[in-house]
Amino acid sequence: MPTRSFSRKRWALSARSCTPLPGESIAPTSLRKSCQKGNSQVLPHDYTRAEEIEVVIREIGSQVASRLRAHDKQVGGVYLSIGYSLSTPTEETGFAHSLKLSDSTVDSNLINGQLLYLFYTYWDGVSPVRRISVAATRLADRYGEQLDLFNPPKYDMVKLEYTVDAIRKLFGKTSIMRASSLEKGGTFIERSQLVGGHAGGQSLE
């Protein structure tokens, strides 16, 4: 019978990089603050539609990427934890998994792409979601994007995101946002009004 507790799972961390060993997942309590930056949110109601859950994951992932840029850091891995509602029809309470990125980056699109890969790989498609936690792992001092001769340069996208960060700093967090945040399920505007706590609003600390 599947366990209903994250604490029953086995976890391992690499002392050198503060990240999981190959083939291991990480427990939410195993990520030390000095080795990661993350945000979490308890949703206002049960989310059952994949597209609505995806909107929130993208919002939180983009916020984490913005925090990395504000602290001149970049990420080599991502972590996603999904908590199910108490009304879930299964025995599972959720899941938590991590993934190493092929290239260290601060590109929100690349980070969100890997977070969504984890979500669609491990979500059962049935259990209602009530909590979402995202973290950037394998942090390093900012040194730029990896060049790729076979794909369009990522620099332009990252430069655009720095510009968005600057606009929000000058004119407010909701002065510019993704159109998807205005769709059903979006929580960007609501979270922008929060201060501190586990959700952290839109803080860049």
Side-chain angles (χ1 to χ4, degrees), residues 2 14 26 33 38 58-59 65 107 130 164 179 190 199:
S14 161
I26 350 182
K33 288 185 178 181
R58 287 184 182 277
E59 288 178 341
D107 187 332
R130 199 57 183 268
V164 170
E190 177 184 353

Side-chain angles (χ1 to χ4, degrees), residues 27-89:
T29 55
S30 295
L31 288 169
R32 298 196 299 274
K33 288 185 178 181
S34 61
C35 305
Q36 57 91 26
K37 287 190 181 296
N39 288 82
S40 64
Q41 181 177 5
V42 176
L43 302 174
H45 57 82
D46 292 354
Y47 277 46
T48 57
R49 298 179 58 190
E51 57 268 31
E52 293 182 7
I53 301 169
E54 180 175 326
V55 167
V56 180
I57 292 175
R58 287 184 182 277
E59 288 178 341
I60 301 177
S62 295
Q63 181 184 357
V64 171
S66 183
R67 292 178 62 197
L68 292 171
R69 294 190 294 270
H71 289 269
D72 291 323
K73 299 291 184 181
Q74 57 191 64
V75 57
V78 294
Y79 162 85
L80 176 68
S81 173
I82 296 292
Y84 293 155
S85 167
L86 293 177
S87 64
T88 180

Side-chain angles (χ1 to χ4, degrees), residues 68-69 71-77 103-107 111 136-146 162:
L68 292 171
R69 294 190 294 270
H71 289 269
D72 291 323
K73 299 291 184 181
Q74 57 191 64
V75 57
D103 298 315
S104 183
T105 185
V106 290
D107 187 332
I111 292 171
T137 62
R138 296 178 180 265
L139 298 189
D141 292 335
R142 181 78 176 131
Y143 58 81
E145 300 296 309
Q146 178 68 39
Y162 274 108

Side-chain angles (χ1 to χ4, degrees), residues 2 10 28 39 120 146 148 150 174 195 203:
R10 295 177 11 199
N39 288 82
Y120 284 112
Q146 178 68 39
D148 187 341
F150 303 100
T174 59
V195 178
S203 171

Side-chain angles (χ1 to χ4, degrees), residues 87-124:
S87 64
T88 180
T90 70
E91 291 295 317
E92 295 287 344
T93 58
F95 60 85
H97 289 279
S98 64
L99 188 66
K100 181 182 177 181
L101 304 182
S102 58
D103 298 315
S104 183
T105 185
V106 290
D107 187 332
S108 296
N109 288 329
L110 294 178
I111 292 171
N112 285 333
Q114 297 308 303
L115 289 169
L116 292 175
Y117 169 79
L118 289 173
F119 171 67
Y120 284 112
T121 298
Y122 295 104
W123 184 47
D124 58 18

